[in-house]
Amino acid sequence: MTDPGTTMPANRPRRGRPPTSPLTPALILETARALVEREGPDALTLRRLGTELGSNHTAVLRHFTGKDEIVLGLAEQLIEEALAGFVPREDWRDTLTALARRVRTACLAHPAVAVLVATRVSRRAAEFRGADTVIGALRQAGFGELDAARYYRVLADTVLAVSSYEASVTVLDDEARRGDRMAWQREYLAVSPVRYPHLAAVAGHLAAIDAEDQFETVLELLLDAVELRALRAARER
Amino acid sequence: MTDPGTTMPANRPRRGRPPTSPLTPALILETARALVEREGPDALTLRRLGTELGSNHTAVLRHFTGKDEIVLGLAEQLIEEALAGFVPREDWRDTLTALARRVRTACLAHPAVAVLVATRVSRRAAEFRGADTVIGALRQAGFGELDAARYYRVLADTVLAVSSYEASVTVLDDEARRGDRMAWQREYLAVSPVRYPHLAAVAGHLAAIDAEDQFETVLELLLDAVELRALRAARER
DNA sequence: ACCTGAACACCGTTCAAGT
DNA sequence: ACCTGAACACCGTTCAAGT
């Protein structure tokens, strides 16, 4: 991408320019994200990041206390993108479905970032706005405070876990594409029908399963069951 | 710890003994697992492993092609432990519940191993026997081949994802216990009631949620919905 | 056959020195 | 105030040399 050329002619972050290096947290995060997306999670290195920014590899430590904080910044960026401009639907179930799809979409749009961040995210990055929306939807469904809290954590954790799990599989397929994925498909197809009769019987279907379909199924199962409990909870009051 | 001094005086793997170093894949894996459990995922280093085994840090490369293969070995060890001695129950739902609990228990018994392995696991480590059991249970429930394959992948992936997610939180809490977890609990309690009314209303309940309870809820929700579909599928045939 | 030791090309972080 | 450059204590992997 070329420099868009803003009205002020100064402030161009060309490679290897010490004179006026702008080096802001936002620029660092953006560069880090681009690097990770281009070359995978392992490419995020203070030294690589330094050359990418055209500065000394220790310069970023003036804006972040360490590499960990950069990863945390990427996590917030990801959640931010997932929630940007979201407005709750009328129906509570539509709200939860749309929100879950947004989380998955963001994770799959930047799978390497998602993998990097998955183990580091802790819940604070899940952001108050998302939590408030989910809990609001659950109370709208008819749950009391305690149940709303419980099912919020169940749904949020499961959607985050499943999304980053899927992202990690995507990254694996990308970087070690010597066929880890193809390997298990072939192995499953060649499985012994006498030792594993059930597996052998359905092996042909296994490879054909669509990832998006699978996510939708998880979501439907969870929300079907939650809806059932909501109706029961409403009836009991 | 001092040497216990077994009955057979030979064959004692004391620290730093080159003479007769047994150095088998099994010993390497066992040492690696102990190291990771003792000092966390980042402690698994060929050099650390070498000193732990009392040998040169490149010696293990005679038994594993690289560090990656060691991690894969740990993954298989973990799944192996989860499935060891398992026999299906009479009721298909009991079978699936017991199996899911075993996976979670194994992940929480060795959370650092689970984290290390989570992103590397690919599906081949999920083992044929576990797959066969799950698919068998689903067919017993009344599903056809295609649905049994679908729900197997949905359930297996979700349980694995949620279990390793929980393990990663455990490890985070352990190693960065400067209070990442406590931090978000305090932040949630201090949240603005006008901007996030729903969140503020239930914040008190959030911290009290039990992790085991949460896993059980995920499992119940999924299996409730699956059971419903099984009944529907059986009726249509 | 298996292991060692040196070497190579990397890491994150600290810190005195520059401007 | 912000950045540089050297230094420190680490990495995984390769490869000739030993036994």
Side-chain angles (χ1 to χ4, degrees):
Chain A
M1 302 214 190
T2 59
D3 193 305
T6 56
T7 48
M8 24 184 10
N11 189 350
R12 55 215 153 139
R14 216 186 278 163
R15 290 280 177 85
R17 280 289 298 275
T20 46
S21 51
L23 221 56
T24 64
L27 176 64
I28 292 171
L29 241 33
E30 207 40 68
T31 309
R33 195 234 276 258
L35 176 59
V36 170
E37 277 171 24
R38 191 160 19 94
E39 311 196 23
D42 294 341
L44 184 60
T45 275
L46 293 193
R47 289 171 140 94
R48 293 283 325 258
L49 193 53
T51 68
E52 214 73 20
L53 287 161
S55 59
N56 188 276
H57 66 274
T58 66
V60 305
L61 296 180
R62 242 54 58 188
H63 302 90
F64 294 87
T65 63
K67 188 183 172 179
D68 232 49
E69 212 182 81
I70 298 177
V71 174
L72 246 47
L74 290 178
E76 267 164 60
Q77 229 183 25
L78 191 68
I79 298 282
E80 197 59 40
E81 179 183 318
L83 300 181
F86 177 77
V87 285
R89 306 286 202 280
E90 259 186 59
D91 180 64
W92 66 269
R93 188 164 169 155
D94 289 344
T95 300
L96 295 181
T97 302
L99 214 48
R101 284 182 186 148
R102 270 167 168 270
V103 170
R104 186 181 97 107
T105 300
C107 284
L108 290 190
H110 318 285
V113 175
V115 166
L116 198 61
V117 143
T119 211
R120 233 13 234 95
V121 71
S122 92
R123 317 221 69 271
R124 61 176 283 271
E127 295 299 351
F128 297 147
R129 195 156 52 89
D132 193 66
T133 304
V134 173
I135 294 166
L138 288 168
R139 298 185 78 187
Q140 184 184 346
F143 288 114
E145 287 184 2
L146 197 144
D147 278 340
R150 275 179 70 213
Y151 294 124
Y152 155 65
R153 294 229 17 204
V154 162
L155 292 176
D157 282 7
T158 306
V159 167
L160 280 170
V162 168
S163 296
S164 61
Y165 187 87
E166 191 181 342
S168 80
V169 173
T170 301
V171 170
L172 254 190
D173 286 1
D174 267 18
E175 75 184 13
R177 93 166 72 230
R178 34 141 217 230
D180 247 12
R181 188 178 184 75
M182 298 309 152
W184 77 258
Q185 288 187 1
R186 261 182 280 111
E187 280 177 38
Y188 270 57
L189 284 173
V191 90
S192 155
V194 338
R195 289 174 59 191
Y196 309 110
H198 303 298
L199 179 54
V202 310
H205 298 297
L206 276 179
I209 291 171
D210 183 45
E212 185 170 335
D213 205 74
Q214 185 169 334
F215 182 83
E216 291 294 325
T217 302
V218 174
L219 204 53
E220 276 174 28
L221 290 174
L222 287 174
L223 293 182
D224 279 358
V226 166
E227 186 168 355
L228 222 63
R229 294 187 180 198
L231 294 175
R232 213 185 304 147
R235 212 182 309 124
E236 279 172 7
R237 258 183 314 142
Chain B
M1 302 216 193
T2 57
D3 194 307
T6 56
T7 47
M8 25 178 15
N11 189 350
R12 54 215 153 137
R14 218 186 273 164
R15 291 280 178 86
R17 281 287 298 276
T20 46
S21 51
L23 220 55
T24 64
L27 175 64
I28 292 170
L29 241 33
E30 208 39 70
T31 309
R33 194 232 276 257
L35 177 59
V36 170
E37 276 171 25
R38 190 159 21 93
E39 311 197 23
D42 294 342
L44 183 59
T45 274
L46 293 192
R47 289 169 141 93
R48 293 283 324 261
L49 193 53
T51 68
E52 214 73 20
L53 288 160
S55 59
N56 187 275
H57 65 274
T58 65
V60 305
L61 296 180
R62 241 56 55 190
H63 301 90
F64 293 88
T65 64
K67 187 183 172 180
D68 233 49
E69 212 181 81
I70 297 176
V71 174
L72 245 48
L74 290 177
E76 266 163 62
Q77 227 182 26
L78 191 68
I79 298 280
E80 197 59 39
E81 179 182 321
L83 300 181
F86 177 77
V87 284
R89 307 284 201 280
E90 258 185 61
D91 181 62
W92 65 270
R93 188 164 169 155
D94 290 343
T95 300
L96 296 182
T97 301
L99 213 46
R101 284 181 185 146
R102 270 167 168 268
V103 169
R104 186 181 98 108
T105 300
C107 284
L108 291 190
H110 318 285
V113 176
V115 166
L116 197 61
V117 142
T119 209
R120 230 16 230 99
V121 69
S122 92
R123 317 219 68 273
R124 60 177 283 272
E127 296 298 353
F128 298 146
R129 195 157 52 91
D132 193 64
T133 305
V134 173
I135 293 167
L138 289 168
R139 299 184 80 186
Q140 183 184 347
F143 288 114
E145 289 183 2
L146 198 143
D147 279 340
R150 276 178 68 212
Y151 295 124
Y152 155 65
R153 294 231 14 204
V154 162
L155 294 175
D157 282 6
T158 305
V159 167
L160 280 170
V162 167
S163 295
S164 61
Y165 187 86
E166 192 181 342
S168 80
V169 173
T170 300
V171 170
L172 253 188
D173 286 1
D174 267 19
E175 75 184 12
R177 94 166 72 228
R178 33 144 215 225
D180 246 11
R181 188 179 183 73
M182 297 309 151
W184 79 258
Q185 288 187 1
R186 262 181 278 111
E187 281 176 36
Y188 270 57
L189 284 173
V191 91
S192 154
V194 337
R195 288 173 62 190
Y196 307 109
H198 302 298
L199 179 53
V202 310
H205 298 296
L206 277 179
I209 291 172
D210 182 46
E212 186 170 335
D213 204 73
Q214 185 168 334
F215 182 82
E216 291 293 325
T217 303
V218 173
L219 204 53
E220 277 173 25
L221 289 174
L222 287 174
L223 292 182
D224 279 359
V226 165
E227 185 168 357
L228 223 65
R229 294 188 181 198
L231 294 175
R232 213 185 305 146
R235 214 183 309 122
E236 278 172 5
R237 259 185 309 144

